[in-house]
Amino acid sequence: MSRTTVPVTITVDGTRYTDEVEPRTLLVHYLREQVGKVGTVVGCDTSNCGACTVHLDGRSVKSCNVLAVQADGSEITTVEGLEKDGVLHPVQQAFHDCHGLQCGYCTPGMIMQSIDLLNENPDPSEEEIRSGLEGNLCRCTGYHNIVKAVQQAAGGAR
Amino acid sequence: MIPAQFEYAAPTTVEEAVRLLAEAGDEAKILAGGQSLLPVLRMRLNAPEMVIDLGRIEALRGVRDDGDAIVVGAMTTHADVHADPLVREHAALVTEAVSHLADPQVRHRGTFGGALAHADPAGDLGAPALALGATFTMVGPHGSRTVEGEDFFEDLFTTALAEDEILTEIRIPKHTGWGAHYEKFVRVAHQWPIVAVAAAVRAEGGTIAEARVGLTNMGSVPLRARAVEDALVGKPATAEAVAEAAALAADGTQPPSDLNGDADYRRHLATVLTRRAVLAAAGA
């Protein structure tokens, strides 16, 4: 069965890419394999774990649950697009400072979702942080320091 | 896993989508937000020849005021429904239920109409839509038609939508000033409810004047707990009076038995969650 590819134009971390993709290509695979943004990882591959979270036009999405063709014309930000001129994004710095990771596999998604959470709610309570991150699983169960990192990034030593 | 190959179309109007669907027949699947469909395609539980993506049809997005009702475009995302001031003012039960649906990432992509058309009996939107008397408008090659909620949900993952029809909008009668609460019982975070109860209450000085109660995952379709609604009318919004009415919540239901709980457990849960939901909705 021969199928055609379709053209997409997607801005990823500030750079515009025009590529041919199969319609079935998942956004996460497009980002990793065609654009080379391997900072975004595939975790569970069942849209549960959130490790593949990126921002699509400014809102967090699970990139294993979006087709690349659906993102045609959109702007994507991955974890690789956060650091500016060698300076980590405040949320990245906070994860570093608070040791908000153990094995690190969930970290790209945790950071992207934490940024979305803080964009929506700059001063979240601990409970709001936990429910805002409910779509992201840490299989090391390192949630305590992840929550602390988000609190630090929010600027509050609560 | 990745999906099997398919052709892809992204129409920009409902008319074009309906035409494409008619041409492709039962080889096609409609893609709304994709938060339920894409996992199904990835697991190869379904392998359509063509996927018709409604994501480029602007006319299907947004919420509008329509006199005695609000109208939600089928492609409005859960996040947009949640943030919408018209929904909050006139259908607070929907705002409440949407806030408990899945997780933030899914709410950014998933759509109101997509979730309802998917008709998962454990989905969070059927019970509030049914409780508020929502009607469902669908468009096919022969024009549009509108059905009541109880006629829309036919069975597990099955609605009144014909193969050549697309759900375009959901009309929700205004329940301005009603208290609302969605009580969802889950085993772990961001999952489907084992049982959930959607309650809207119009209270007059501590007395329940009217109530609407919907049940999630208490059968193959969302249900209205009409016996509870009737029993609540004229009752004080107290724990005792509400508990008495809530005891009727599971009457006539045939809930599923699965790893999360057997049918008897769900019947018990329904009564407990109904009491909590109604009391919270009544502000008691």
Side-chain angles (χ1 to χ4, degrees):
Chain A
M1 184 159 54
S2 85
R3 296 290 167 128
T4 50
T5 57
V6 294
V8 291
T9 298
I10 302 175
T11 300
V12 183
D13 296 335
T15 304
R16 202 155 171 260
Y17 298 85
T18 297
D19 282 304
E20 293 284 327
V21 298
E22 279 190 289
R24 64 172 171 169
T25 305
L26 302 172
L27 179 60
V28 68
H29 292 135
Y30 171 73
L31 293 171
R32 287 177 58 84
E33 290 160 24
Q34 283 186 253
V35 184
K37 297 285 183 180
V38 293
T40 300
V41 295
V42 181
C44 65
D45 202 23
T46 57
S47 69
N48 264 290
C49 81
C52 64
T53 299
V54 300
H55 294 180
L56 191 162
D57 291 333
R59 300 313 304 270
S60 60
V61 302
K62 293 179 176 178
S63 62
C64 79
N65 218 16
V66 177
L67 298 171
V69 284
Q70 290 179 284
D72 184 24
S74 297
E75 288 196 23
I76 304 290
T77 305
T78 77
V79 73
E80 294 188 31
L82 298 178
E83 166 254 303
K84 296 273 183 273
D85 305 321
V87 178
L88 293 179
H89 184 283
V91 174
Q92 287 176 307
Q93 187 63 51
F95 271 69
H96 178 88
D97 293 347
C98 299
H99 197 64
L101 60 139
Q102 290 180 37
C103 85
Y105 204 84
C106 70
T107 310
M110 285 287 181
I111 288 175
M112 297 312 290
Q113 181 53 29
S114 297
I115 293 171
D116 185 274
L117 161 65
L118 293 172
N119 286 344
E120 277 287 287
N121 179 1
D123 187 25
S125 65
E126 180 182 338
E127 195 187 330
E128 286 168 337
I129 293 169
R130 290 184 184 273
S131 71
L133 294 176
E134 72 174 325
N136 293 70
L137 307 182
C138 168
R139 64 184 174 178
C140 309
T141 69
Y143 296 105
H144 188 70
N145 283 358
I146 291 170
V147 172
K148 281 208 310 205
V150 178
Q151 286 172 321
Q152 176 181 307
R158 285 169 180 277
Chain B
M1 295 255 309
I2 58 170
Q5 288 182 320
F6 52 77
E7 301 281 352
Y8 173 82
T12 55
T13 65
V14 173
E15 294 68 29
E16 193 186 349
V18 167
R19 185 177 53 73
L20 286 165
L21 187 56
E23 284 168 12
D26 60 7
E27 300 297 323
K29 279 302 273 186
I30 293 287
L31 173 64
Q35 301 303 288
S36 297
L37 180 62
L38 291 179
V40 165
L41 299 188
R42 280 206 321 255
M43 288 185 274
R44 308 259 176 134
L45 298 172
N46 199 325
E49 286 285 303
M50 170 168 258
V51 168
I52 300 170
D53 179 4
L54 305 184
R56 310 276 167 184
I57 305 178
E58 281 306 314
L60 291 180
R61 289 188 193 276
V63 180
R64 68 172 201 271
D65 194 312
D66 189 34
D68 59 355
I70 58 168
V71 177
V72 183
M75 287 295 292
T76 312
T77 64
H78 302 308
D80 286 346
V81 168
H82 183 251
D84 192 275
L86 282 173
V87 177
R88 194 171 295 263
E89 184 179 357
H90 303 298
L93 183 56
V94 170
T95 308
E96 261 282 306
V98 166
S99 73
H100 292 281
L101 186 152
D103 57 51
Q105 293 98 315
V106 169
R107 293 195 291 270
H108 290 151
R109 290 296 296 172
T111 64
F112 197 69
L116 289 164
H118 183 54
D120 186 330
D124 289 305
L125 299 180
L130 202 61
L132 296 182
T135 59
F136 297 75
T137 299
M138 48 208 91
V139 175
H142 309 295
S144 80
R145 65 189 179 107
T146 298
V147 302
E148 304 282 328
E150 266 137 339
D151 298 321
F152 181 75
F153 297 105
E154 293 186 340
D155 203 346
L156 294 166
F157 302 106
T158 307
T159 68
L161 279 164
E163 270 178 1
D164 58 0
E165 288 180 317
I166 293 170
L167 178 63
T168 54
E169 59 187 34
I170 299 90
R171 190 171 191 278
I172 306 171
K174 284 181 181 173
H175 287 70
T176 318
W178 288 51
H181 188 79
Y182 189 66
E183 185 75 18
K184 175 171 173 171
F185 192 82
V186 286
R187 196 168 52 81
V188 293
H190 83 104
Q191 285 297 334
W192 290 270
I194 297 171
V195 173
V197 176
V201 170
R202 186 169 69 79
E204 287 174 353
T207 299
I208 295 172
E210 286 181 275
R212 300 284 181 269
V213 178
L215 308 176
T216 304
N217 214 11
M218 283 296 288
S220 58
V221 294
L223 299 170
R224 273 278 288 271
R226 291 182 187 272
V228 177
E229 295 176 3
D230 292 343
L232 285 169
V233 174
K235 295 287 181 345
T238 61
E240 297 72 30
V242 169
E244 198 178 312
L248 305 170
D251 284 13
T253 62
Q254 292 182 301
S257 288
D258 58 29
L259 287 173
N260 286 318
D262 64 20
D264 281 346
Y265 176 63
R266 284 193 161 86
R267 284 192 196 95
H268 172 72
L269 265 184
T271 63
V272 173
L273 302 179
T274 297
R275 171 172 53 81
R276 290 181 191 164
V278 170
L279 282 171

